[in-house]
Amino acid sequence: MAKKQDKPQNIFNFDYSRDSQDRPPQEYYDQIKEKFAEERDLRLDYRPPGTDSYTSDLTGELAKYATDPYGQQVEERERLNDSVEVLFIGGGFSALLTSARLREKGVESIRIVERGADVGGTWYWNRYPGVACDVVAYDYLPLLDETGYVPSRHYAGGQEIYQYCKTIAERFDLYDLAVFGTTVTSTVWDEEEEVWLVGTDRGDSIRARFVVCANGTLSKPKLAKIDGIETFGGHSFHTSRWDYEYTGDNLQNLADKRVGIIGTGASAVQAIPELAKASKELYVFQRTPSSIDVRDDWETDPEWAAGLESGWQAQRRARAIEGPRVPDAVKAKRAAMSREEKIQRQENANIDAMMRIHKRIDEVVQDPQTAESLKPWYMLMCKRPCFHNEYLPSFNRPNVTLVDTKGEGISQINAAGPEFDGKQYELDVLIYATGFEVQQTGIYNQIIGEDGQDLNIKYSDGIRTLLGIHSHGYPNLFIMGGYQAFFAFNLTDVLNSQGEHIAECIDFVRQNEIHSLDCTYDAEERWVQEVIAHRGKTSRNRDCTPGYYNFEGAENRRQDGNYNGTMKQYLDHMSEIRDKMSEHFAFTHR
Ligand code: NDP
């Protein structure tokens, strides 16, 4: 019998082919869809278009929201003026995974340049109370076959993941050349020398033959643009820069504090239960509720762990990429359905899932009005689905108040705290759980390729890449976790494949006495068209409530997003491209 540890995570594969006598009539589903549309329109009406309601320009008075509260140990050092073979911008999973693959291929000179004071990326920065990952740890933590590590729980906590990142860095000797507390500010292709010149905020000037943009998809904290944000007289910080000096390691200093938190996305959902237990009073300022499902978590069974055979994670991954086995009868039934019927059945199944989430809220939350406010009115996966067993019960505590802004959001803060609907909320501390800038390749960095072209300028008419990894005119540069690549709930799956691909490309160059490789214009154009062909198959993006998954409701250009084929198709494209390198890349020799 399959053990519970072996079961794949199945969040949004609805079995829409099942017929059920108990299904409500179609009008029931249509009415709910109408309510979804009303709630979306309400939110779109309140906001400026797209991402304009946020700022990630955290400078001047807002600079404190981006400074590193954990990195005091970063030491002064001499400016670097040297050369390395491969330079990683960022030291999170992208860099760790790819470096491991490069080490396996004999690449010695690898330097990670990281803004934080250690490796870990998102797991370095996000240390808020309750931080954990909702992707099954046996799949999320990469390189388990290589390191021999077995996660302690079904869902690993942030601390464990951060420690594991350090384990990988040690195991693959990545600390030797790494520099921390350092932000790459410019990456310029020297056409004569055919190397990248990398500048940093510490005055370094590093030459690198290969550069990998491993700066993550959600790296830079953003704030909602709220009038008076800088006038607040209490203490405030962003969830990804948790101020434990203020709260105390166990939040013990909050026992006499009035605490507010703005935002109810995945970070807030994990932090709120801890804040609810520790604060004298907690005010949760909600614009749109998250969907909260059951979190099926448990400690790893030591017997299961002891019985794992070598290569177990790779086998798990291969099974995940293949996807669930669909019986022939179900396949035949689906094949016989029209496209419209398929979409309708999928939507109805999605609505059933959301109504199950609503029902759970009614069962758990005692105050009917609060329960109503916590109900998400959109399709599952319009926003990042959340899983928590303590979040909803937190709202039964007498010290916790949900301030439901009904889609409007907080738009005014003064010295005492936020103001909403004529009511002043007086706070000692205000925490911004307002998320991150999404998928900006440059982040803090300017990337200048051949003919002096800035990558942002190239992208200004639409993103152009091959596989989301290569961009024509930027030789020996690789982008990880960016748009036009496949998106998976388990991000490390994508990063793993990209890391393998990049290591293969670098190895190809090294083995064939090539100096540099650049994807051709034609190969890039074919990929852009492939991305476009897979986008917009449904009106889902437009129908969803605004959030970062759909560019906050902005009409986006058709190529500016993820590759919407399957993971398997993405991997097949990768290997086809590598099988015929000279059809897709131009090479230089020195
Ligand atoms: P999000 O971008 O998901 O959430 C931002 C929140 O701020 C939203 O609830 C948004 O409301 C709210 N907001 C913005 N402006 C205002 C305002 N003026 N007034 C009130 N509320 C406002 O950021 P998170 O940090 O929560 O999550 C980012 C991502 O990080 C997740 O989607 C996930 O991919 C990852 N993550 C994963 C975790 C996991 O594995 N469990 C845990 C934490 C993060 P609205 O919805 O209306 O826009």
Side-chain angles (χ1 to χ4, degrees), residues 43 47 53-54 123 126 128 131-135 218 222-226 238-239 262-270 285-290 295 383-387 405 407-411 433-436 489 545-549 552:
R43 283 164 175 76
R47 303 182 187 199
S53 68
Y54 288 103
W123 301 105
N126 287 283
Y128 57 80
V131 62
C133 183
D134 281 343
V135 180
L218 297 164
K222 66 178 163 52
L223 294 173
K225 283 184 194 157
I226 302 176
H238 188 272
T239 43
I262 295 188
T264 48
S267 301
V269 165
Q270 293 183 333
F285 298 96
Q286 173 186 278
R287 186 162 70 178
T288 309
S290 284
R295 193 156 198 271
K383 282 184 178 288
R384 188 11 161 120
C386 296
F387 305 85
T405 69
E408 186 174 347
I410 291 298
S411 55
T434 44
F436 302 86
F489 188 68
T545 192
Y548 80 84
Y549 275 16
E552 305 294 336

Side-chain angles (χ1 to χ4, degrees), residues 289-495:
S290 284
S291 65
I292 316 288
D293 213 334
V294 174
R295 193 156 198 271
D296 186 16
D297 193 19
W298 19 264
E299 278 179 24
T300 298
D301 173 1
E303 221 177 285
W304 173 79
L308 289 169
E309 287 172 10
S310 105
W312 66 274
Q313 195 186 35
Q315 285 166 22
R316 245 182 115 91
R317 189 168 166 237
R319 283 202 303 274
I321 290 164
E322 278 305 317
R325 198 170 294 149
V326 181
D328 287 344
V330 174
K331 272 191 205 154
K333 194 168 174 190
R334 287 181 186 175
M337 289 176 196
S338 69
R339 186 173 169 273
E340 289 70 27
E341 184 184 0
K342 237 185 236 174
I343 291 175
Q344 187 179 73
R345 278 173 171 261
Q346 281 173 345
E347 283 180 352
N348 291 354
N350 189 315
I351 290 170
D352 286 342
M354 285 309 268
M355 292 307 113
R356 186 176 51 73
I357 281 166
H358 280 205
K359 189 163 168 271
R360 181 163 172 252
I361 298 169
D362 282 328
E363 286 163 3
V364 174
V365 179
Q366 287 152 6
D367 174 50
Q369 201 181 329
T370 307
E372 232 22 69
S373 291
L374 286 165
K375 288 180 184 167
W377 289 98
Y378 47 80
M379 294 279 182
L380 191 66
M381 287 307 290
C382 277
K383 282 184 178 288
R384 188 11 161 120
C386 296
F387 305 85
H388 213 291
N389 302 336
E390 290 181 57
Y391 179 75
L392 295 172
S394 300
F395 293 95
N396 292 334
R397 301 178 76 106
N399 63 328
V400 178
T401 305
L402 179 68
V403 182
D404 181 10
T405 69
K406 296 189 168 46
E408 186 174 347
I410 291 298
S411 55
Q412 194 69 44
I413 292 179
N414 54 39
E419 225 186 277
F420 182 73
D421 210 12
K423 190 163 175 197
Q424 172 77 61
Y425 294 88
E426 291 189 12
L427 300 178
D428 299 301
V429 54
L430 182 54
I431 300 161
Y432 291 95
T434 44
F436 302 86
E437 186 178 272
V438 185
Q439 297 256 19
Q440 296 281 323
T441 301
I443 306 280
Y444 304 90
N445 172 22
Q446 192 180 34
I447 302 171
I448 311 280
E450 281 179 349
D451 301 324
Q453 194 179 33
D454 187 319
L455 189 58
N456 276 325
I457 292 180
K458 172 173 174 176
Y459 279 5
S460 58
D461 289 331
I463 291 171
R464 295 190 59 83
T465 72
L466 171 63
L467 295 169
I469 299 175
H470 316 268
S471 196
H472 174 61
Y474 299 81
N476 286 359
L477 182 93
F478 305 92
I479 300 161
M480 296 189 74
Y483 280 142
Q484 296 195 343
F486 181 74
F487 169 82
F489 188 68
N490 181 9
L491 183 64
T492 58
D493 242 354
V494 179
L495 302 178

